[in-house]
Amino acid sequence: MSSASLIKTPPEKVTVNGWVFYTSTALILLLTAILIAAPQEAGRMLGIAQAWLSRSFGWYYMVVIAAYLVFVVGLAFSSYGKLKLGSKDDTPDFSYGAWAGMLFSSGIGISLLYFGASEPLDHYFNPPEGVAGSQLAARQAVQLTFLHWGLHGWAIYALVGLAVAYFAYRHNQPLALRSALYPLVGERWVKGAAGHAVDGFGMFVTLLGLVTNLGIGSLQVSSGLENLFGMEHNNTNLLIVIIVMSTVATIAAVSGVENGIRRLSNLNIVLFSGLLIFVLLFGPTLHLLNGFVQNVGDYLNGVVLKTFDLYVYEADTAKSERWLGLWTLFYWAWWISWAPFVGMFIARISRGRTVRELVAGVLLIPLGFTLAWLSIFGNSALDLVMNQGAVELGKTALEQPSMAIYQLLEHYPASKVVIGVSIFVGFVLFLTPADSGAVMMANLSCKGGNVDEDAPHWLRIFWSVVITLVTIGLLFAGNFEAMQTMVVLAGLPFSVVLVCFMFGLHKAMRQDVQIEQEQAELAARGRRGFSERLTALELQPTQAIVQRFMDKHVSPALEDAAVQLRTQGLDVQTLLGKAKRCMGLRIEMEEGNPFVYEVSLDGYLAAPSESPSPDETRTRYYRAEVYLHNGSQEYDLMGFTQDQITRDVLDQFESHRQLLGRVYS
């Protein structure tokens, strides 16, 4: 049982959070209007801003991205890794297989199709250092691609998912970005201006990422249809593709996490894996396997160097700076812009998991497949260009990246069928981030409801429509690259929010561990009184006996304790009355976990005799077991008098208050 959840007052009805909803909506619509009304001037100004950011804050991005990775890996390997995202009695909402599938699909979108072949070729022809078109440039091309899609990005997702889940499921805060600031600014500020600002800006950054995703997705699918059917590349056909993709994504978003998103995740894995295996088996298999092993070695060997590589000592520093801004810094900002909705989605599906499970799952489950995909498709494209004279493929990768993967597949058997399948794979890959993004945007727009309750359908539809309209406007205005630039600029301030997440999460974990240790010591000293003597007599009371005891002694004792606590000006919530298998009280505290005291009628099987006979039947016995905020205290109230139970409640409350005073002082 989850002790902290049983005595909560009924949650508020889910309603729109006006501050967050209207502010973020106005901000994104204003930006879109400016980009559409003055595309050339806006694009020029944003380009100047991006160049300035690359020169002035390139070092900062490198350091902070490394810090995120070190922090989440350090948590996983530390004693904090054993902390559960929920009470110690909570169990995961999803099976391990379903959870792994949704982790896989949450952060792997259609961009992997877009960049799988085109990015290594681009780095081959335009390397940040060295001679373009050389063997060394080819080797470095895949290493750089691995860097951009590797551990650093997934660590950002893990950080946000961990912070949101920890405070939602252990501290009963809303499933929102603001909750991670709780230890730093307190509940008053979290529910006020600071919380509204974080959630609102998080939605703005998320919307930038989702619009970029829809833009890339629509270009990818329309390029495939152009290749397969000769469909004309014009705005009308692009508009049809966008509307169809957005409509299907909206339907999936309305169906929710348990239905649409989970099923799409399973379909993603099957289709994506099938396409990868096909390219591996029908291409230069041995060369691709050797390349994958070497690429992984290059990545791991150079991960520290490349993490901090700003190309300071290159002869053409202007060229290197420009490359850094267009690629590495863009990727870091892009990962950050996706972090709010992917991280919240990870939190939404991870209740009952440990800190270590979440970090390991997010870093390792999608990463292995991502690196395999980039290596196999990247090396296949490089082999065709370098060794088989596929000059057109190299040109396409630079001029129309969305077409590169289809031109690559033209060199394989049954190319038309495979290209058709890859278009469908791209369509499905687009859907999972799109619908989970719409759900998380809607959830951030709301307040009230249970911690894992999703927003109403109309709000999910609203955000899907907004994302669609903004994408259409930017693509047709010819200013989609300006939105990509905005992703980089918006990622800078939100990266500071993620730094605050790290400090808040570490502070809360340290305090929680300290409280658990002190409570364990109190429990070890014991306040078992008559209960211990009853255990010594090996009495095994029936359910009816324990229920009568709870009705006659526990319920009035709890009521008496509530009266005494209310005289101290405390707001005490109670769950009392006869014939209840669980009764207790709850007090919200200004700082830290609420005080919870519950008595639950729990049944156990009696231990077998020393020499049991084959037909021996084990009997059940029952206990009036005490639960606090962190779960069962493993002692029984049977045999306590009413006054002793009241005193136990008051003693436990005083101990809880003293613990919070020591920890938060």
Side-chain angles (χ1 to χ4, degrees), residues 517-527 652 655-656 659:
Q517 290 173 345
E518 296 224 18
Q519 287 179 333
E521 291 174 4
L522 288 174
R525 294 180 208 145
R527 271 184 298 276
Q652 291 282 21
S655 297
H656 183 76
L659 282 173

Side-chain angles (χ1 to χ4, degrees), residues 6-274:
L6 293 174
I7 306 182
K8 288 183 182 178
T9 54
E12 301 176 33
K13 183 180 178 182
V14 176
T15 57
V16 172
N17 187 329
W19 282 98
V20 174
F21 177 77
Y22 294 115
T23 302
S24 57
T25 303
L27 191 59
I28 192 66
L29 293 180
L30 176 63
L31 172 66
T32 305
I34 294 173
L35 294 180
I36 293 174
Q40 293 183 349
E41 185 64 20
R44 187 181 68 83
M45 294 300 295
L46 287 173
I48 293 173
Q50 184 183 19
W52 171 79
L53 185 144
S54 298
R55 288 194 307 271
S56 304
F57 290 95
W59 65 270
Y60 165 77
Y61 262 119
M62 296 303 201
V63 170
V64 80
I65 292 293
Y68 299 151
L69 176 59
V70 171
F71 177 76
V72 296
V73 172
L75 284 183
F77 280 99
S78 72
S79 58
Y80 298 137
K82 295 182 290 186
L83 292 172
K84 184 177 284 191
L85 303 175
S87 73
K88 68 179 182 180
D89 304 303
D90 278 344
T91 56
D93 294 332
F94 300 96
S95 68
Y96 193 83
W99 180 68
M102 287 189 281
L103 283 181
F104 175 88
S105 298
S106 62
I108 295 180
I110 197 170
S111 303
L112 209 51
L113 272 180
Y114 186 91
F115 289 107
S118 63
E119 182 177 344
L121 287 174
D122 199 305
H123 297 330
Y124 172 69
F125 288 112
N126 298 299
E129 58 183 349
V131 180
S134 64
Q135 296 289 335
L136 183 61
R139 182 174 182 176
Q140 181 183 237
V142 183
Q143 182 188 27
L144 291 170
T145 305
F146 272 28
L147 174 72
H148 296 154
W149 291 86
L151 288 167
H152 299 79
W154 296 103
I156 299 172
Y157 290 171
L159 171 61
V160 177
L162 191 59
V164 173
Y166 192 85
F167 291 102
Y169 301 137
R170 285 186 66 96
H171 291 262
N172 302 307
Q173 295 294 313
L175 193 71
L177 299 173
R178 67 175 67 202
S179 298
L181 300 179
Y182 173 70
L184 300 180
V185 299
E187 190 165 356
R188 178 182 173 187
W189 281 94
V190 164
K191 291 182 177 179
H196 295 327
V198 169
D199 280 353
F201 191 69
M203 288 179 64
F204 174 70
V205 174
T206 296
L207 199 55
L208 296 178
L210 291 174
V211 167
T212 306
N213 181 59
L214 178 55
I216 288 176
S218 59
L219 291 171
Q220 186 69 43
V221 171
S222 63
S223 294
L225 296 174
E226 178 186 344
N227 180 285
L228 190 61
F229 301 113
M231 186 182 80
E232 188 177 350
H233 188 70
N234 57 38
N235 285 347
T236 301
N237 290 330
L238 185 61
L239 177 62
I240 294 172
V241 169
I242 292 175
I243 291 175
V244 170
M245 293 175 73
S246 299
T247 301
V248 177
T250 302
I251 294 171
V254 169
S255 66
V257 173
E258 287 77 9
N259 296 312
I261 297 176
R262 181 170 58 180
R263 291 171 183 171
L264 282 174
S265 300
N266 295 334
L267 184 60
N268 267 355
I269 296 172
V270 174
L271 294 175
F272 217 24
S273 301

Side-chain angles (χ1 to χ4, degrees), residues 278-301:
F278 173 83
V279 173
L280 174 63
L281 295 180
F282 287 91
T285 305
L286 185 59
H287 171 71
L288 295 178
L289 291 174
N290 289 336
F292 178 56
V293 172
Q294 182 164 328
N295 296 151
V296 171
D298 286 343
Y299 171 60
L300 295 177
N301 183 55

Side-chain angles (χ1 to χ4, degrees), residues 217-529:
S218 59
L219 291 171
Q220 186 69 43
V221 171
S222 63
S223 294
L225 296 174
E226 178 186 344
N227 180 285
L228 190 61
F229 301 113
M231 186 182 80
E232 188 177 350
H233 188 70
N234 57 38
N235 285 347
T236 301
N237 290 330
L238 185 61
L239 177 62
I240 294 172
V241 169
I242 292 175
I243 291 175
V244 170
M245 293 175 73
S246 299
T247 301
V248 177
T250 302
I251 294 171
V254 169
S255 66
V257 173
E258 287 77 9
N259 296 312
I261 297 176
R262 181 170 58 180
R263 291 171 183 171
L264 282 174
S265 300
N266 295 334
L267 184 60
N268 267 355
I269 296 172
V270 174
L271 294 175
F272 217 24
S273 301
L275 187 58
L276 177 67
I277 293 170
F278 173 83
V279 173
L280 174 63
L281 295 180
F282 287 91
T285 305
L286 185 59
H287 171 71
L288 295 178
L289 291 174
N290 289 336
F292 178 56
V293 172
Q294 182 164 328
N295 296 151
V296 171
D298 286 343
Y299 171 60
L300 295 177
N301 183 55
V303 67
V304 175
L305 172 64
K306 288 300 179 183
T307 296
F308 300 101
D309 197 348
L310 289 164
Y311 307 103
V312 172
Y313 298 103
E314 288 302 301
D316 190 350
T317 54
K319 173 191 169 185
S320 299
E321 263 185 16
R322 188 164 54 252
W323 183 93
L324 196 68
L326 290 174
W327 286 104
T328 304
L329 296 187
F330 168 72
Y331 265 108
W332 295 161
W334 200 14
W335 283 100
I336 290 172
S337 74
W338 275 50
F341 85 86
V342 176
M344 282 187 60
F345 180 74
I346 291 170
R348 172 71 174 77
I349 63 175
S350 298
R351 184 173 196 155
R353 303 283 172 189
T354 64
V355 170
R356 187 168 296 139
E357 276 183 296
L358 186 145
V359 172
V362 173
L363 289 187
L364 301 180
I365 290 174
L367 179 66
F369 185 91
T370 301
L371 298 185
W373 177 276
L374 293 169
S375 176
I376 289 170
F377 276 85
N379 284 314
S380 297
L382 288 168
D383 179 64
L384 287 170
V385 170
M386 296 170 65
N387 304 320
Q388 301 183 41
V391 178
E392 190 65 26
L393 175 59
K395 183 179 178 182
T396 300
L398 298 177
E399 297 177 357
Q400 191 181 354
S402 59
M403 184 66 77
I405 193 168
Y406 304 120
Q407 284 196 3
L408 183 150
L409 293 173
E410 288 176 357
H411 294 82
Y412 286 77
S415 60
K416 293 297 183 184
V417 175
V418 178
I419 289 172
V421 172
S422 67
I423 295 171
F424 183 69
V425 169
F427 184 65
V428 175
L429 280 173
F430 159 78
L431 291 178
T432 307
D435 57 23
S436 60
V439 170
M440 294 305 111
M441 287 280 289
N443 289 352
L444 276 175
S445 307
C446 291
K447 58 183 179 180
N450 292 317
V451 70
D452 53 0
E453 183 178 352
D454 288 328
H457 292 168
W458 72 265
L459 202 52
R460 306 182 210 178
I461 295 171
F462 170 82
W463 284 115
S464 293
V465 171
V466 169
I467 293 165
T468 304
L469 293 177
V470 171
T471 306
I472 292 171
L474 292 172
L475 284 172
F476 286 14
N479 210 13
F480 188 70
E481 290 185 3
M483 182 59 77
Q484 292 178 289
T485 304
M486 275 301 304
V487 170
V488 178
L489 298 177
L492 180 63
F494 200 75
S495 69
V496 179
V497 175
L498 298 188
V499 172
C500 294
F501 280 15
M502 290 195 298
F503 283 103
L505 191 58
H506 181 265
K507 181 179 180 181
M509 287 181 171
R510 179 175 54 81
Q511 292 168 345
D512 286 353
V513 167
Q514 184 179 344
I515 288 173
E516 286 185 0
Q517 290 173 345
E518 296 224 18
Q519 287 179 333
E521 291 174 4
L522 288 174
R525 294 180 208 145
R527 271 184 298 276
R528 291 178 170 82

Side-chain angles (χ1 to χ4, degrees), residues 7-10 562 566 570-575 584-588 595:
I7 306 182
K8 288 183 182 178
T9 54
R566 287 186 182 114
L570 298 168
D571 182 14
V572 184
Q573 305 163 38
T574 59
L575 178 68
L585 51 83
R586 176 189 179 94
I587 303 173
E588 297 292 341
F595 171 69

